[in-house]
Amino acid sequence: TLPREQLFELLGGGEAVAAVLRGEDALIVGYGQTGTGKTQAMLGERGIASLLCERLLGQLVMVTRAVATISFCELHGERLRDLLAPDAQLAVIEVADGIRVEGLTRLACREAALVRKLVLAAQARRQLGSHFIVTIQLE
């Protein structure tokens, strides 16, 4: 088992943070068979999502006044659900540069501790076997 910091770097986490700070998009995907530890590696204690947020928010505070917003949704079968507001009505729409989920709750955060709390709250609402999508945007 690799230490989380080493796994973070191996998966390109540092490169993802640098790309986002340059104004580019970045994506880290956990993919594999059921029961192989993807959720734990990505969302667990000191998981990839937490490390990503810690580094990104730490750099934001030092470099800019930008605010990060975070949203959580799950895709289960063909159903999309907001994990911060489970009763929200969501719609997937096409935009010039791809797709967007309308109606998704986005919360502003500047502290990694808040992100960890939000990840835990969203994860507690997640259905077994669903895809968990965490989106962080800079504004």
Side-chain angles (χ1 to χ4, degrees):
T1 308
L2 289 175
R4 291 299 160 100
E5 295 280 344
Q6 190 177 352
L7 180 61
F8 178 81
E9 291 303 330
L10 188 64
L11 293 175
E15 294 172 27
V17 169
V20 169
L21 291 172
R22 288 191 307 267
E24 301 171 16
D25 291 339
L27 174 69
I28 298 177
V29 175
Y31 178 78
Q33 291 180 318
T34 300
T36 57
K38 297 177 300 296
T39 299
Q40 183 64 27
M42 295 295 284
L43 302 170
E45 184 69 27
R46 303 280 305 148
I48 302 303
S50 292
L51 292 170
L52 182 71
C53 290
E54 284 175 17
R55 292 208 187 162
L56 181 61
L57 294 173
Q59 291 292 318
L60 281 178
V61 169
M62 293 189 313
V63 180
T64 180
R65 292 182 181 265
V67 174
T69 62
I70 192 163
S71 63
F72 303 93
C73 67
E74 76 172 347
L75 179 60
H76 191 259
E78 293 187 15
R79 186 167 184 267
L80 196 60
R81 188 169 70 121
D82 187 329
L83 291 171
L84 296 176
D87 295 328
Q89 298 297 314
L90 304 179
V92 177
I93 61 167
E94 287 189 49
V95 293
D97 58 347
I99 62 168
R100 179 175 46 217
V101 179
E102 286 289 319
L104 192 59
T105 303
R106 292 176 36 201
L107 298 177
C109 52
R110 291 187 62 90
E111 298 175 10
L114 174 59
V115 172
R116 281 191 293 277
K117 287 180 184 177
L118 291 172
V119 166
L120 291 174
Q123 194 172 347
R125 293 184 177 125
R126 183 175 170 225
Q127 294 178 339
L128 185 63
S130 68
H131 299 282
F132 188 67
I133 303 163
V134 180
T135 305
I136 302 167
Q137 293 178 305
L138 301 184
E139 297 179 349

